Structure formats: structure tokens, C-alpha cells
């Protein structure tokens, strides 16, 4: 007994200290070059400090030496999974500044392409989410179905990821003759795949045990931290710009804003899954009604914006993307600021992950759907 | 008693969800002929590349070694990152009139982001995108290309 007592006294004197580990910059579940300095006590996260800047590319500074049509191809490279929406924001901003109205056909094409891009992005998010939780099968299934969308992109504008499709005044290419047929075929096929996704991952007991009731984000905190997109909508924050500030052809379609007031990891997952159905519904409403007309306005060779400040925001797959252009009347912008959704979403991670296990941190990061060039721009 | 019942029920439900997921993978496991991947290097002949695919910038020449480039330099201005360099020369025709013509249309493939702005801006349609995609070379200097062929000249009737 005495021996045991001695051991117990000795144990009391062991200092249980917090320790720091680096998660990243090279870590498979950070999906890029993101370094999280995690303060741990045992397995419990006490503090998460995101360190960024490893792939800072200075896009905002570079933009100052580019003309307005050239601006789009750089924004492609920020959030590469929402390339269409990013270029759309730039195009809309320039069009608003010049006070030109693009043809109806352009609006329809832009909306359809944006929703296809959102589908592709959510598919990739879904398969990567499964992979982060240890289910590699989802990765292959998601990428397999995403290929169909990328094929449509490739036929339409000749690229798969960095599309540079929306340009000020319209779109780069008209849709190809079989576009509608291909999109419909994809939608028909994808409608059978989405329930499969649900069967594979959504109900899985391991997945639900790790996500349900984990890492809550309240509505107030979501607003306070500037969280937008599906992440914020899972907490009940009505922030879908497609609904509240319609641009392009979003005012012509009926769709639900997916909201939930739970705000845990599983809800963030469910909101994105439900958004895919909404995207399908939006595409179905538009695809047969693309009006005839020009696919681009005739713009001047050198686009000069009037003096002033212009802001345009769009809803990308991750949240609110904003373009702020300060123009001094020359052909280059005086200053460009991008408000990227990933940056604001990332810095809420410390608030959410506190008190949860380090394995939950991986799941939280997954549901935030981080794209690192979007954060480090 | 109720607790034990719930406990066993939870376990069985958990196993059932795993089986549901396994059924999906089993479906693909037993029908692999429906879902084959592309056998890429072997299927080069049958590979279908999209017509608009942006592989690299080329300058098409006709059978008389003539192209449509006037050397106006609009593609150079429109290029966002300086992938295109235009070197012009001055030609003097029989009547003694001076005329600007292209000497070298230098294209740095290694710097190109395939944004399509040069092709969109070209007033004469002299440059187009090619569908090639296997660009790997052993030396990066090989990525700097001169698009107009040696000894080529501008087509008749192409004006700025």
C-alpha cells in the first residue's frame, strides 16, 4: 500500500503542461500550405492559431499593374474551385462601373456555369471530407462524377480549372451546340449519384459519431466572425447573396436558401449536401430557357473605368466573395481589394475548435471547405 | 433492461449503416466494366480533346508558308504576364513604301497561363490555340518558341 501511495503522490507532482504542435504547413488534411499552431492539453485543443503566408502570391498588388480584362485570369487562381464565380464578380464590378447591361443570354449562361461550378466544388468538398475522416472511397466516387462537369467546362471554354470564362461585357465563348444536351445528361446521371453519396457517408455510424454534436458555431458568432456561405447558413445566418442580393439570372429562378439553426459539424455537412439539390434545381429551371442573342458585348479595346470606388459581391461555393476596385480613371485599377470567404471563415476556427479533440479539428476544417490560395492571396 | 435494449439496437443500427455503405461499393466492385478509367498513354490515338481546348498558342501557316500576323503587337499588350514578345522589322516594297512586318513572334510557353486573351484580341485571327497538351521538355529554354516559321511572310490581303 505504501508503494502505491508513493506512486500516487509522485503522479500528482507530474506537471500536466500544455504543449504546442504544428499542424502543417505540409499536412494532408489542411488541403494546402496552411499551418495551424495548435495548443494542446493531451488531446484537447485549447487554442488554434492559423499561420498563413506560405503561398502568398500578392494578387492584389499584381492587379494594380493589369488592365480590367486581365484581372479575371488572376482571380481564377485564388479560389480555384469557384473560378467561375470569382471572374463573375470582377466582370459584374467592371460592368456596373461602366454602367453597361449585358445581354440576357450572358446572364443565363453565367448562372448555369456558376451553379455547375458550385456543384463541382461541393462534390470535391464531399469527397475530401470523406477522405479526411478516413473513408477513401468517397474520394474516388466524388472525383469520378466531378469529371463530367469538368468535361462540360472543357468543351465550353477549353480549360478545366482556371477557366477565365467571364470577361467584362459577357463570356469568353458562346456555349457549344450540345451544351444543353450534355448538361441535362449530367443532371440526370448526378441525380442517381447523390442518393448514393448519402448512403455511403451521411448515415455511416462512424461518420455521424464523429460529426454530430461536435463543434458548434452559434448564429451570433458566425456574424461576429464574418463567416459566410454554407458554413454560416448551417448556423442560421441568412447570408445567401443569390437570394438576398440577386445578380445575373438568380432573380428569375425559384430556390430555397438552405438554413439550419444547429450549427454543428454534421449540419454544415448537411447544408452543403442540400445545396447540391438546389443547384440542380436552378440549372434545370434555366437550361431550357437560354434566350438567343449575343454572348458578349462589344467592348472597347482599352477598358477605362470612371473615377471612383466600386464594389461587387457574389456568392461562391464558400461564401461571400467581394471585389473592391478603386479607379482613378486610368486603364489600370488604382487599388484592388478582394474579400475572400475562406479568409474570414478560417479565423473563426479558433473559436469553434476550443475544447474539442484534435481529431475533431480535422473534421471542422473539412466542413469549412478551405481553399488555401483563397486565404493566402 | 431498456438500456441494454437500446445499446444492442444502437450497435445493430450502426452495423446496418455500414452495410448500406458497403452495398454501394459492392455494386461498383462487381460491375467494373461500366466504370473503367482511361488508359491514358495507350489511348493516344483515340483520345478526344475538346475542340476549344487551350493547349498552346500557335500561328497557322498555309502551304505557301504564309501567316496572317501583321506584327501589330495587340496580343503582346493583352498578355497579362508577358508571355508574348513581338519583334518587328521594316520592309520596303518596290515603290519604296515602308511597311511594318513581323520578324519574330516569340512565345514563352512556360509563362503562359492559357487565359485566351491574346487570341480574343488578335484583329486578324493570326494566332489560335492548339489542342496539344504534352508540353514536358528536358530543358526549359525549349519552352520559348518562335511562332512564325523561318522565311514566312504575311498573306495577301491581310490588313491591320
Amino acid at each position: 500500500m505504501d508503494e502505491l501511495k508513493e506512486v500516487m503522490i509522485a503522479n500528482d507532482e507530474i506537471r500536466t503542461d500544455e504543449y504546442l504542435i504544428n499542424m502543417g504547413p505540409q499536412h494532408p488534411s489542411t488541403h494546402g500550405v496552411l499551418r495551424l499552431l495548435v495548443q494542446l492539453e493531451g488531446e484537447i485543443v485549447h487554442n488554434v492559431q492559423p499561420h498563413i503566408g506560405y503561398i502568398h502570391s500578392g494578387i492584389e498588388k499584381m492587379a494594380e499593374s493589369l488592365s480590367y480584362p486581365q484581372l479575371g485570369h488572376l482571380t481564377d487562381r485564388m479560389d480555384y474551385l469557384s473560378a467561375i464565380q470569382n471572374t463573375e464578380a470582377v466582370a459584374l464590378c467592371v460592368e456596373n462601373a461602366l454602367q453597361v447591361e449585358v445581354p440576357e443570354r450572358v446572364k443565363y449562361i453565367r448562372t448555369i456555369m456558376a451553379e455547375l461550378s458550385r456543384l463541382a466544388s461541393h462534390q470535391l468538398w464531399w469527397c475530401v471530407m470523406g477522405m479526411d475522416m478516413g473513408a477513401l472511397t468517397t474520394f474516388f466516387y466524388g472525383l469520378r462524377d466531378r469529371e463530367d462537369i469538368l468535361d462540360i467546362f472543357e468543351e465550353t471554354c477549353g480549360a478545366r480549372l482556371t477557366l477565365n470564362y467571364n470577361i467584362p461585357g459577357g463570356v469568353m465563348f458562346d456555349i457549344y451546340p450540345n451544351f444543353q444536351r450534355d448538361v441535362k445528361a449530367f443532371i440526370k446521371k448526378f441525380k442517381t449519384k447523390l442518393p448514393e453519396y448519402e448512403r455511403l457517408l451521411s448515415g455511416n455510424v462512424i461518420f455521424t459519431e464523429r460529426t454530430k454534436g461536435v463543434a458548434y458555431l452559434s448564429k451570433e458568432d458566425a456574424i461576429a466572425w464574418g463567416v459566410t456561405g454554407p458554413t454560416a447558413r448551417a448556423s442560421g445566418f441568412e447570408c445567401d447573396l443569390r437570394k438576398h442580393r440577386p445578380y445575373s439570372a438568380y432573380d428569375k429562378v425559384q430556390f430555397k436558401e438552405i438554413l439550419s439553426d444547429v450549427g454543428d459539424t454534421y449540419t454544415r455537412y448537411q447544408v452543403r449536401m442540400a445545396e447540391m439539390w438546389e443547384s440542380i434545381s436552378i440549372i434545370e429551371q434555366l437550361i431550357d430557357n437560354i434566350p438567343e442573342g449575343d454572348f458578349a458585348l462589344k467592348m472597347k479595346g482599352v477598358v477605362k473605368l470612371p473615377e471612383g470606388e466600386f464594389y461587387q459581391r457574389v456568392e461562391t461555393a464558400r461564401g461571400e466573395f467581394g471585389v473592391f476596385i478603386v479607379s482613378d480613371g486610368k486603364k489600370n485599377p488604382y487599388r484592388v481589394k478582394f474579400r475572400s470567404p475562406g479568409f474570414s471563415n478560417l479565423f473563426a476556427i479558433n473559436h469553434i475548435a476550443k475544447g474539442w479533440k484534435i481529431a475533431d479539428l480535422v473534421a471542422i476544417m473539412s466542413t469549412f471547405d478551405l481553399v488555401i490560395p483563397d486565404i493566402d492571396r | 433492461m431498456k438500456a441494454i435494449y437500446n445499446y444492442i439496437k444502437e450497435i445493430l443500427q450502426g452495423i446496418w449503416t455500414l452495410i448500406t455503405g458497403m452495398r454501394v461499393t459492392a455494386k461498383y466492385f462487381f460491375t467494373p466494366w461500366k466504370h473503367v478509367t482511361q488508359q491514358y498513354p495507350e489511348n493516344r490515338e483515340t483520345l478526344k480533346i475538346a475542340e476549344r481546348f487551350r493547349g498552346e498558342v500557335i500561328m497557322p501557316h498555309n502551304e505557301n508558308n504564309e501567316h496572317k500576323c501583321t506584327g501589330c503587337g495587340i496580343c503582346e499588350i493583352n498578355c497579362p504576364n508577358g508571355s508574348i514578345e513581338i519583334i518587328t522589322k521594316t520592309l520596303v516594297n518596290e515603290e519604296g513604301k515602308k511597311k511594318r512586318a513581323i520578324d519574330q513572334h516569340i512565345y514563352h510557353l512556360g509563362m503562359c497561363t492559357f487565359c485566351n486573351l491574346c487570341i480574343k484580341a488578335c484583329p486578324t485571327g493570326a494566332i489560335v490555340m492548339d489542342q496539344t497538351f504534352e508540353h514536358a521538355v528536358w530543358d526549359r529554354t525549349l519552352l520559348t518558341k518562335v511562332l512564325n516559321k523561318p522565311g514566312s511572310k504575311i498573306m495577301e490581303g491581310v490588313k491591320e
Side-chain angles (χ1 to χ4, degrees):
Chain A
M1 278 307 276
D2 286 346
E3 274 175 29
L4 189 62
K5 214 174 218 173
E6 264 172 40
V7 171
M8 283 172 80
I9 290 163
N11 268 348
D12 267 352
E13 281 164 6
I14 294 173
R15 279 177 60 228
T16 52
D17 235 357
E18 288 183 339
Y19 62 101
L20 294 170
I21 62 160
N22 274 316
M23 194 169 170
Q26 303 295 336
H27 190 280
S29 77
T30 54
H31 307 295
V33 212
L34 170 70
R35 175 176 153 222
L36 296 176
L37 195 59
V38 190
Q39 202 173 339
L40 292 169
E41 190 190 336
E43 260 194 283
I44 297 168
V45 176
H46 276 198
N47 197 14
V48 188
Q49 205 62 51
H51 284 245
I52 59 170
Y54 288 91
I55 49 162
H56 182 73
S57 46
I59 283 183
E60 285 174 10
K61 190 71 193 167
M62 274 158 79
E64 287 170 20
S65 61
L66 295 178
S67 70
Y68 294 104
Q70 290 171 349
L71 210 57
H73 101 291
L74 273 184
T75 52
D76 269 353
R77 279 154 180 80
M78 290 167 50
D79 182 357
Y80 43 79
L81 295 174
S82 306
I84 294 263
Q85 289 104 319
N86 290 356
T87 43
E88 188 176 6
V90 174
L92 286 171
C93 193
V94 173
E95 282 154 15
N96 287 351
L98 293 171
Q99 291 177 337
V100 291
E101 181 79 14
V102 291
E104 283 292 295
R105 186 181 176 82
V106 174
K107 290 183 183 175
Y108 274 67
I109 295 173
R110 275 181 182 174
T111 313
I112 292 169
M113 292 295 271
E115 288 310 310
L116 281 175
S117 165
R118 193 183 312 279
L119 274 180
S121 171
H122 281 359
Q123 268 176 331
L124 190 78
W125 157 81
W126 175 80
C127 62
V128 169
M129 170 113 199
M131 192 180 68
D132 283 347
M133 312 287 270
L136 196 64
T137 319
T138 62
F139 188 68
F140 298 119
Y141 288 8
L143 284 187
R144 176 199 64 196
D145 301 333
R146 183 167 171 263
E147 199 70 9
D148 295 337
I149 300 181
L150 295 190
D151 281 344
I152 292 171
F153 283 169
E154 201 174 355
E155 287 279 354
T156 316
C157 55
R160 293 160 64 84
L161 202 64
T162 49
L163 303 141
N164 195 21
Y165 188 56
N166 293 313
I167 49 170
V171 287
M172 185 72 89
F173 299 98
D174 201 0
I175 50 174
Y176 63 100
N178 288 333
F179 178 77
Q180 275 130 318
R181 193 199 67 190
D182 284 359
V183 171
K184 276 183 209 160
F186 161 72
I187 294 284
K188 199 180 163 203
K189 191 177 159 197
F190 190 54
K191 272 183 171 173
T192 65
K193 301 287 181 200
L194 213 42
E196 217 167 69
Y197 288 8
E198 299 272 4
R199 284 213 299 280
L200 196 62
L201 197 61
S202 304
N204 189 301
V205 63
I206 304 166
F207 181 75
T208 48
E209 287 287 311
R210 279 188 66 181
T211 50
K212 260 187 193 163
V214 170
Y216 288 98
L217 175 68
S218 70
K219 185 181 173 182
E220 288 71 33
D221 290 334
I223 294 170
W225 285 96
V227 179
T228 47
T231 318
R233 287 197 283 279
S235 306
F237 175 26
E238 295 176 26
C239 60
D240 198 335
L241 294 173
R242 296 174 292 168
K243 197 92 184 166
H244 301 293
R245 298 271 189 283
Y247 53 93
S248 293
Y250 284 113
D251 49 350
K252 297 184 183 67
V253 287
Q254 300 290 321
F255 66 100
K256 282 205 298 284
E257 182 181 8
I258 310 291
L259 284 172
S260 167
D261 44 11
V262 184
D264 63 346
T265 307
Y266 191 65
T267 324
R268 289 195 282 274
Y269 171 85
Q270 277 182 318
V271 165
R272 282 204 174 81
M273 293 305 268
E275 268 194 8
M276 284 204 241
W277 286 110
E278 291 306 313
S279 291
I280 289 175
S281 137
I282 292 173
I283 296 170
E284 276 180 335
Q285 288 173 49
L286 293 176
I287 191 72
D288 281 323
N289 311 322
I290 302 177
E292 294 295 315
D294 289 335
F295 66 89
L297 286 176
K298 191 100 183 104
M299 298 287 274
K300 282 181 194 155
V302 180
V303 181
K304 279 183 184 168
L305 254 57
E307 232 170 280
E309 298 173 356
F310 309 99
Y311 186 64
Q312 175 68 42
R313 48 189 189 158
V314 297
E315 181 80 20
T316 73
R318 263 149 220 87
E320 181 185 324
F321 178 81
V323 181
F324 181 61
I325 297 177
V326 182
S327 164
D328 55 357
K330 297 204 181 78
K331 71 182 173 74
N332 304 333
Y334 175 75
R335 172 84 169 90
V336 178
K337 165 89 179 97
F338 295 114
R339 189 257 183 229
S340 66
F343 186 80
S344 313
N345 290 4
L346 170 70
F347 284 89
I349 208 163
N350 183 22
H351 182 75
I352 299 173
K354 252 181 209 167
W356 297 98
K357 300 267 165 55
I358 189 159
D360 297 329
L361 183 61
V362 175
I364 295 166
M365 275 201 306
S366 259
T367 50
F368 271 49
D369 199 6
L370 302 174
V371 168
I372 309 305
D374 190 33
I375 298 161
D376 247 352
R377 59 199 182 271
Chain B
M1 197 60 205
K2 183 104 190 201
I4 296 171
Y5 171 75
N6 280 345
Y7 180 69
I8 293 169
K9 194 181 155 197
E10 222 168 74
I11 289 176
L12 289 178
Q13 269 177 349
I15 293 170
W16 179 248
T17 60
L18 293 182
I19 290 170
T20 316
M22 290 291 254
R23 284 222 312 267
V24 176
T25 45
K27 186 182 131 200
Y28 290 108
F29 184 76
F30 290 112
T31 55
W33 58 88
K34 281 187 188 168
H35 322 279
V36 280
T37 48
Q38 287 195 18
Q39 303 293 329
Y40 159 57
E42 288 83 24
N43 72 347
R44 275 211 185 97
E45 281 77 32
T46 56
L47 205 61
K48 264 191 198 158
I49 307 286
E51 204 179 304
R52 293 170 181 175
F53 182 73
R54 309 206 284 250
E56 66 173 311
V57 178
I58 54 160
M59 188 184 285
H61 289 60
N62 67 1
E63 61 276 8
N64 301 330
N65 203 13
E66 289 173 335
H67 56 74
K68 289 185 196 162
C69 182
T70 58
C72 61
I74 289 177
C75 53
E76 191 182 8
I77 297 165
N78 272 277
C79 183
N81 49 8
S83 309
I84 296 175
E85 280 174 58
I86 307 283
I87 299 170
T88 52
K89 60 188 174 189
T90 315
L91 292 180
V92 183
N93 63 3
E94 300 94 56
E95 296 151 17
K97 259 188 179 174
K98 280 183 184 171
K99 200 184 166 198
R100 186 180 59 181
I102 185 88
D103 185 23
Q104 275 187 320
H105 188 294
I106 301 170
Y107 169 55
H108 300 279
L109 178 58
M111 281 157 75
C112 183
T113 57
F114 311 104
C115 64
N116 207 47
L117 288 172
C118 54
I119 282 130
K120 196 174 164 292
C122 184
T124 57
I127 45 175
V128 291
M129 278 285 180
D130 199 13
Q131 279 80 45
T132 54
F133 58 95
E134 290 165 330
H135 295 313
V137 285
W138 288 106
D139 187 0
R140 69 174 176 186
T141 53
L142 296 173
L143 290 172
T144 300
K145 300 179 179 185
V146 178
L147 294 188
N148 53 331
K149 289 180 188 160
S152 63
K153 61 177 198 299
I154 188 164
M155 263 179 222
E156 285 293 316
V158 177
K159 281 192 187 118
E160 265 180 53

